[in-house]
Amino acid sequence: MQSTDAFVDLSTPALEFRGLHAGYGKVEVLHGIDMIVPRGSVVALMGPNGAGKTTLLNVAAGFVRPTAGCVHVSGVHANGISPDRFARAGVCSIPEGRGAFPNLTVRENLKVFTHAGERPLDEVEETAYDVFPRLSERRHQLAGTLSGGERQMLSMCRAFISDPALLLLDEISMGLAPIIVDELYEKVGELASQGIAILLVEQFATAAMRVAEYAVIMRQGRITTVGEPDDVANDLTAAYLGAMA
């Protein structure tokens, strides 16, 4: 269905890569990536370690600059812009294990998160503690002393607070118990239901596939398969087994 909104073309992807090449120094990691993340959709980026998944997220957040090809955010050419400008354009990135400041308390972290928007701290706290009640009990505790699951909950608060158009999630399940992973992915589903486009990297395929509408499989810096989760299951198994061979 075509949008009747004169200001937002819903047919324009939230994120698009065209012929993207990128890497670190002289080492090229991504070799000609063509991919889109439709508005309001969840795309799971899967594949073995070393496939280039995190590098692709870093390009989408402005931390790594393309060496060739294009990045478009909501239809706007975004090559070479700073991470700060990506954030102002509605891109929220939650990197693996680095989404909170360990030497600040939970409340102080939430205060830092308010700098990305205009919401007052008391409103931000209310939202955060409503989403993750456990954090209310830890509000005066240093983030570095929280459990791994609680730190990831605190990091995830950024997405609920900043109301992004595009959310980038990198390995949110890393090192966590399955029951915590299930809780976090329940929140990812809530964010998706709000119409936020989400690109997530995940090794815990079962959890990711429950919320994803599309799955993309990468190997050695290239996309090998794109489809709905049920359609790519066999290719995903082959990608992981092939990487171990």
Side-chain angles (χ1 to χ4, degrees):
M1 180 186 301
Q2 292 295 319
S3 169
T4 58
D5 191 325
F7 301 99
V8 178
D9 181 358
L10 296 182
S11 67
T12 301
L15 178 67
E16 182 176 12
F17 302 112
R18 296 181 184 174
L20 184 77
H21 293 252
Y24 305 93
K26 296 182 179 180
V27 180
E28 184 171 273
V29 177
L30 303 177
H31 315 293
I33 299 293
D34 292 300
M35 175 184 157
I36 67 169
V37 177
R39 289 181 183 273
S41 69
V42 181
V43 177
L45 190 57
M46 319 291 287
N49 289 332
K53 306 183 300 295
T54 294
T55 299
L56 190 60
L57 282 192
N58 285 336
V59 172
F63 297 118
V64 172
R65 295 192 173 198
T67 54
C70 299
V71 182
H72 288 182
V73 176
S74 297
V76 177
H77 185 71
N79 282 39
I81 71 172
S82 67
D84 182 59
R85 287 186 61 192
F86 268 98
R88 291 201 299 271
V91 179
C92 176
S93 174
I94 301 179
E96 177 191 337
R98 294 182 286 115
F101 297 94
N103 295 326
L104 299 180
T105 66
V106 167
R107 189 170 188 270
E108 288 168 341
N109 267 280
L110 293 175
K111 185 175 182 180
V112 171
F113 297 165
T114 65
H115 294 168
E118 298 179 354
R119 298 176 64 184
L121 179 58
D122 58 349
E123 183 180 319
V124 164
E125 285 192 278
E126 181 179 356
T127 298
Y129 303 149
D130 182 58
V131 175
F132 296 113
R134 197 177 314 178
L135 294 180
S136 178
E137 304 167 10
R138 306 282 192 268
R139 67 180 70 189
H140 299 301
Q141 188 171 328
L142 291 177
T145 66
L146 300 174
S147 69
E150 290 166 345
R151 285 197 301 273
Q152 195 60 271
M153 290 175 189
L154 179 56
S155 299
M156 286 283 291
C157 284
R158 293 173 56 194
F160 285 91
I161 291 166
S162 61
D163 191 24
L166 173 65
L167 176 61
L168 308 173
L169 297 174
D170 192 6
E171 301 277 13
I172 64 171
S173 71
M174 180 66 71
L176 302 182
I179 190 170
I180 299 297
V181 174
D182 287 343
E183 183 177 353
L184 290 173
Y185 269 97
E186 181 181 327
K187 301 305 180 184
V188 172
E190 289 179 15
L191 289 165
S193 70
Q194 297 173 19
I196 296 171
I198 301 173
L199 176 60
L200 62 90
V201 166
E202 185 56 83
Q203 292 287 349
F204 199 166
T206 303
M209 293 301 197
R210 281 202 300 267
V211 300
E213 296 164 70
Y214 306 100
V216 176
I217 301 175
M218 288 185 67
R219 287 194 67 183
Q220 299 178 340
R222 293 179 171 86
I223 291 175
T224 59
T225 308
V226 179
E228 296 182 4
D230 289 344
D231 297 333
V232 305
N234 290 337
D235 289 339
L236 180 61
T237 300
Y240 282 111
L241 291 177
M244 294 186 289

